[in-house]
Amino acid sequence: MTQAPGSTAYPPVSVIMPILNEEAHLAEAVGSVLAQDYPGGMEVVVAVGPSRDGTREVAEGLAAADPRVVVVDNPTGRTPDGLNAALARTSHEVVVRMDGHGVLSDGYVRRAVEVLEETGAANVGGLMLAEGKNDMQQAVAVAMRSPLGMGGARFHIGGRPGPAETVYLGVFRRSWLRQVGGYDPAYARAQDWEMNHRIRKAGGVVWFTPELTVTYRPRGTLRELARQFYRTGRWRRQVMRQHRDTVSARYLAPPVAVAVLAAGVVGGLAWRPLWLLPAGYAATITVGGAWIARGQPPGVLLRVPPVLATMHLTWGAGFLRGPEPPP
């Protein structure tokens, strides 16, 4: 990649998308990629897992309608396998990571390529802009965009541009993906964070810029949200087990909270003042949820506290449970 920012010699890019059970969102996601005002060439490789809905039919229809779209198989359905399968099918030196729940902002690819050149970074990414289409999704979005829900990660809540631990999705130099060996297939979740950690350990820069946004469609039920966060917590435990230098108070807070709340509930049977612990937590997320959801419709505001509790407690429970067994 040798062009200067603002020049017309933009390199071609490869977009990789691992997809499973995304019939409802896939056309919107791919459409946001194909609609990019990008001067260079583009290929979009969709790795489709064994879905229970019409995802493959949607993907094949998109490929039939636009020669830039290619469909490959991901027999396991696991995200890292899909990413690596799509990556193996691509050929360009700039790789754009995308998924089936995302919608790229206008100019995303163009600006990401420019920032790669301006900074010399290995990976560039921006905001995961959670937005819902109904009250439940919007309640999840409100929680995900708040430090009360997701902590202080810049790719969730915003911040100044600069080096970061990780970014949402990302736009990579292929040379760095080769150097670190791509996505680790052992990680069913947290594979982006884990690979960005390896990039940083190898001397590469992961660069956050709020100029880049990807609209994210959250899970639409508490059950789906709980499953998502439980699995994420389990895999965060594996990241910390493998990379001891990633241990931090931020990631230990949810499992500690689960343990303290459980002790309060059970211990309160013998000594009632301990029930102040779960009561205090409930009051905190109720008041805090009302604050971060201020201005939202009542149907959203009422759902934010249970959404916060689901996110915190299932993530913490998953962490305490530990990683899933290997496939």
Side-chain angles (χ1 to χ4, degrees):
M1 197 168 88
T2 60
Q3 84 285 355
S7 75
T8 57
Y10 287 81
V13 301
S14 298
V15 182
I16 57 174
M17 299 181 64
I19 301 297
L20 182 70
N21 300 321
E22 291 290 2
E23 178 184 13
H25 302 288
L26 181 56
E28 181 183 34
V30 173
S32 76
V33 175
L34 299 177
Q36 291 287 302
D37 178 20
Y38 184 67
M42 178 183 291
E43 60 181 354
V44 182
V45 181
V46 181
V48 181
S51 301
R52 299 185 301 272
D53 57 13
T55 296
R56 176 166 291 277
E57 289 74 16
V58 173
E60 291 176 346
L62 293 168
D66 194 312
R68 292 175 292 176
V69 181
V70 177
V71 177
V72 298
D73 287 325
N74 176 22
T76 69
R78 301 173 73 253
T79 299
D81 295 336
L83 287 165
N84 288 328
L87 189 60
R89 178 62 175 76
T90 63
S91 55
H92 301 317
E93 290 302 311
V94 175
V95 178
V96 180
R97 161 82 158 95
M98 183 55 172
D99 68 18
H101 274 260
V103 177
L104 299 184
S105 57
D106 293 342
Y108 178 95
V109 176
R110 177 197 287 261
R111 185 60 190 142
V113 169
E114 292 172 353
V115 174
L116 273 179
E117 184 68 13
E118 292 167 2
T119 63
N123 179 20
V124 167
L127 279 168
M128 177 183 178
L129 187 61
E131 289 186 357
K133 290 187 171 182
N134 55 43
D135 285 350
M136 177 55 74
Q137 281 191 329
Q138 187 57 24
V140 177
V142 167
M144 294 184 81
R145 296 199 302 260
S146 167
L148 185 59
M150 298 296 292
R154 279 181 287 172
F155 74 89
H156 281 299
I157 66 173
R160 297 176 61 86
E165 286 186 345
T166 193
V167 291
Y168 183 51
L169 302 180
V171 177
F172 300 83
R173 298 176 189 268
R174 182 182 289 270
S175 58
W176 275 99
L177 296 179
R178 292 194 195 99
Q179 182 172 334
V180 301
Y183 294 89
D184 188 338
Y187 283 86
R189 297 270 177 155
Q191 63 281 142
D192 294 291
W193 200 102
E194 193 275 336
M195 188 173 73
N196 281 322
H197 181 74
R198 284 185 281 123
I199 287 173
R200 291 187 294 107
K201 292 288 284 186
V205 173
V206 178
W207 189 271
F208 169 82
T209 175
E211 295 177 85
L212 305 176
T213 62
V214 182
T215 300
Y216 170 82
R217 303 302 184 197
R219 300 302 192 267
T221 68
L222 286 179
R223 181 185 180 89
E224 292 172 346
L225 183 70
R227 184 173 184 273
Q228 177 190 15
F229 273 73
Y230 180 75
R231 295 195 70 207
T232 300
R234 296 189 72 177
W235 284 102
R236 174 60 60 185
R237 173 80 171 270
Q238 177 62 19
V239 171
M240 292 175 65
R241 176 183 294 176
Q242 182 173 345
H243 303 289
R244 300 289 183 177
D245 55 334
T246 68
V247 176
S248 70
R250 174 186 165 200
Y251 294 121
L252 292 175
V256 169
V258 169
V260 169
L261 290 172
V265 170
V266 175
L269 297 173
W271 190 52
R272 289 183 180 180
L274 286 177
W275 282 340
L276 290 174
L277 294 173
Y281 174 76
T284 298
I285 62 169
T286 299
V287 175
W291 173 253
I292 66 175
R294 63 193 184 280
Q296 294 286 337
V300 175
L301 190 149
L302 291 173
R303 287 174 170 84
V304 170
V307 163
L308 288 170
T310 299
M311 290 165 59
H312 296 162
L313 300 182
T314 58
W315 199 102
F319 186 97
L320 291 172
R321 173 76 183 276
E324 299 172 8

